[in-house]
Amino acid sequence: MTYWLQELQQKRWEYCSGLDMVRWDSRTSPTPGDFSKGLVARDNSDVICPHPDASAEKARNVLAVETVPGELVGAQAAHQPAPGHPNSINFSFKQWGTELKNSMSSFRPGRGHGDSRKSVFYTNEDWELLDPNPKELEESMAQEERKKPAPEGSRGKRPLKDMIGSYRNRHVSSEPSAEGVQSSSSKSASEVQLQVQSQQEELEQLKKDLSSQKELVRLLQQTVRSSQYDKYFASSRLSEGIPKDALELLHRKDEQILGLSGQLERLSLERESLQQEARTLKTKVGELSEQLGMLVETIQAKDEVIMKLSRRLSEGADGTSSTSGVPGSPTPASREQLELDRLKDNLQGYKTQNKFLNKEILELSALRRNAERRERDLMAKYSSLEAKLCQIESKYLILLQEMKTPVCSEEQGPSRDVIAQLLEDALQVEGSEQPEQAFVKPHLVSEYDIYGFRTVPEDDEEEKLVAKVRALDLKTLHLTETQEVSTGVKWENYFASIMNREMACSPELKSLIRAGIPHEHRSTVWKWCVDLHTRKFKDNTEPGYFQTLLQKALEKQNPASKQIELDLLRTLPTNKHYSCPTSEGIQKLRNVLLAFSWRNPDIGYCQGLNRLVAVALLYLEQEDAFWCLATIVEVFMPRDYYTKTLLGSQVDQRVFRDLMSEKLPRLHAHLDQYNVDYTLITFNWFLVVFVDSVVSDILFKIWDSFLYEGPKVIFRFALALFKYKEEEILKLQDSMAIFKYLRYFTRTILDARKLISISFGDLNPFPLRQIRNRRAYHLEKVRLELTELEAIREDFLRERDSSPDKGELVSDEEEDT
């Protein structure tokens, strides 16, 4: 075997030497990165590549076959067992296995660069493994024998062409069998087809064997080249000695490679067996499919035969019954015919009845549509008449009030009593104690609105008149307004679209909330808004957090408890839910305020928090109202907004003045001209978010946007209220008149649609960053002013304490005595 490897490599070295002489000027020495990437190359990274000519010459000297007397070469050496020399540098099968592994890895596609997959014995040209021509191989071998005398022990060698020829003969020997198969034409067609299939499978197997043999020859040539190269370097370093650890490592790697190679062969055999089994199963499936098709066709044919026989049998039975039947006795056929006639009669009756009912339904539908149209017309007419009646009654109240207090006359006459009685009757709120009047006069103003606020107060008669007029105007506005229907439909469509998922922030939801949340959906949307802003708080608290705080507040009093009790009945006295100590809202209001005073001891309780909680409790439960208050105080509003100094509230008033001068410059200049400090009015707007400042319908629309968007909404609506009545305020030319008008003008604004349009349309752009920047600017100024005031107060107290004239105050009576 060594002899044949040496002969093949000798040819390669001669070709490489001739090519190097021609192309040496354009070539460079191989770098260590060009070697094989196997384990040996990684372990021997310090190899230095000599000059190509010198390396070729030294390699030829090393690879020269030295024969000794009696040594076997060629075919004789190939049939002998491999000698087991103790030296580990010998050419062992383990080393061949290692090199074969490395060579195979270099031939795998997609691994590394193309140059790194080549061995160092490759030239710049690509080599292709071809089947050797026997004649050319014989001529080349003869030339080699003429050039170099054969060694002594080469008498029994086997030429390479004989090996290749025997391999080709083995493949040719299979042809007579195929010819025999073709000659057996006397057999049946099925047997011939089976034999042809078997011969085709054998032919495919032989082709696979041929390709595997070609691949094996190619791998052996690659292994020979790598092995000779490693033998060359191993012999060059033999004098230096090889570390024992490296040799042991190489042996272990060889054993691992042999094991993996065996496992790979086993897996390949198993894969081939599985493929063969799959092909067999596919063949069986095809045969079963054919059998199934045949069975289906057979069943169909049998079904047709059965149907024909059944028809013939029925025809024969009808004939026999007609000839041999007894008179007067009904046959099965006659019974079936009678039943069929009866069913036909019933069907005809049902058709007639169905036509009649359809006609009735069409007539009733037409009548119903006409009735609905008339009802809509009557409702529209009724609404317009009711609106006109409200307007007339409002004007009637104003006229009676003016006639009751004449300007030029102070005499009491009978007309004054009549006018007073008429005014008292007009201010009376309609109730349910006079049901007979419901057919004569519509129920214009109820005692409480849908939020529980009293529409007409009971104390001041003048205030009652103004409230009644305002309630009538508000109802007139509602009767003439048609947008509420479309708004409700939009909200119904929105909730239908999110039926199977949770609510999420979106431009659509923002526009719907700005237009106002319907009464029936407000609880759901408010709760979602509160959860959206307090999610980070709730995640850090334990379950039952509110109940724990409430239990602690009920068991132990804190300084805020007394003030909370004093403000409970003063929170919303005009709302029926907080009007008396036994009202349902009073206890809930107490619980929420006490729990919050324990949550935020820095604030505890501030007047104004009770109104925020009271409004929240109208649509939320206790715990949700508690988190709503936490959202307003701890998320929306700046720090120190509800503390003792009210620092944040003072800062917001200065920011509002800047926005007034920017958005409403004419009105701001007019108020400054008469020295009207309108922040005295707006301070309460910001502190309690317009509670008790606007009508209830507008109040809850403001809260809808406030809970979703935050404190910027307060600035928007505060500016919108002034812009709504800007022209009326500009007409006033007296500071007292202006200030008096500012105290109650917000209660006269009833059109919520117009106010919302001004807030979110006319006042744009309205960036939140601008508000934050101005808050930071004014916060520093207010803090400096408070520091100066505190210093002045301390100086005053110090001077008063150190004054020598300090004495006790004496009353006038004590001085006289």
Side-chain angles (χ1 to χ4, degrees), residues 31-66:
T31 58
D34 295 329
F35 293 119
S36 177
K37 299 299 181 182
L39 296 173
V40 178
R42 287 199 294 269
D43 293 339
N44 299 282
S45 58
D46 56 345
V47 176
I48 300 175
C49 299
H51 193 274
D53 295 338
S55 63
E57 188 65 26
K58 292 174 67 177
R60 284 195 293 271
N61 295 333
V62 171
L63 295 174
V65 179
E66 298 179 1

Side-chain angles (χ1 to χ4, degrees), residues 129 178 235 287 370 392 394 432 449 573 711 799:
L129 182 64
S235 62
E287 295 176 355
N370 294 333
I392 293 172
S394 174
S432 59
D449 59 9
E799 291 177 359

Side-chain angles (χ1 to χ4, degrees), residues 55-106:
S55 63
E57 188 65 26
K58 292 174 67 177
R60 284 195 293 271
N61 295 333
V62 171
L63 295 174
V65 179
E66 298 179 1
T67 59
V68 295
E71 184 180 1
L72 298 177
V73 295
Q76 297 177 4
H79 291 288
Q80 294 297 324
H85 297 286
N87 191 357
S88 61
I89 308 232
N90 286 337
F91 207 65
S92 64
F93 284 102
K94 292 183 178 180
Q95 294 174 350
W96 284 13
T98 304
E99 294 306 322
L100 179 59
K101 182 72 175 181
N102 297 333
S103 300
M104 290 175 68
S105 65
S106 65

Side-chain angles (χ1 to χ4, degrees), residues 635-639 641 648 651-652 655 658 686 711-712 714-715 768-782:
V635 179
F636 287 166
M637 298 305 186
R639 191 177 180 181
Y641 210 89
V651 170
D652 272 2
V655 174
D658 294 344
F686 284 76
K712 184 174 68 171
I714 304 178
F715 290 95
L768 181 61
R769 181 176 58 184
Q770 179 184 9
I771 296 176
R772 290 174 178 172
N773 294 336
R774 294 191 178 186
R775 273 177 172 173
Y777 171 73
H778 288 292
L779 180 62
E780 297 297 329
K781 294 181 65 174
V782 173

Side-chain angles (χ1 to χ4, degrees), residues 12 36 56 63 83 124 164 175 195 217 267-268 303 339 342 346 422 439 464 616 641 707 749 771 780 799 804:
R12 184 60 57 84
S36 177
L63 295 174
N124 292 336
I164 298 176
E175 295 179 359
Q195 290 180 3
V217 172
L267 291 175
S268 300
D303 290 340
E339 183 69 19
R342 187 179 62 82
N346 292 336
L422 290 174
F439 298 98
K464 288 173 64 177
Y641 210 89
L707 291 179
I749 297 176
I771 296 176
E780 297 297 329
E799 291 177 359

Side-chain angles (χ1 to χ4, degrees), residues 265-275:
E265 293 177 359
R266 290 192 301 273
L267 291 175
S268 300
L269 293 174
E270 185 178 355
R271 185 188 64 180
E272 292 178 358
S273 64
L274 291 175
Q275 290 177 352

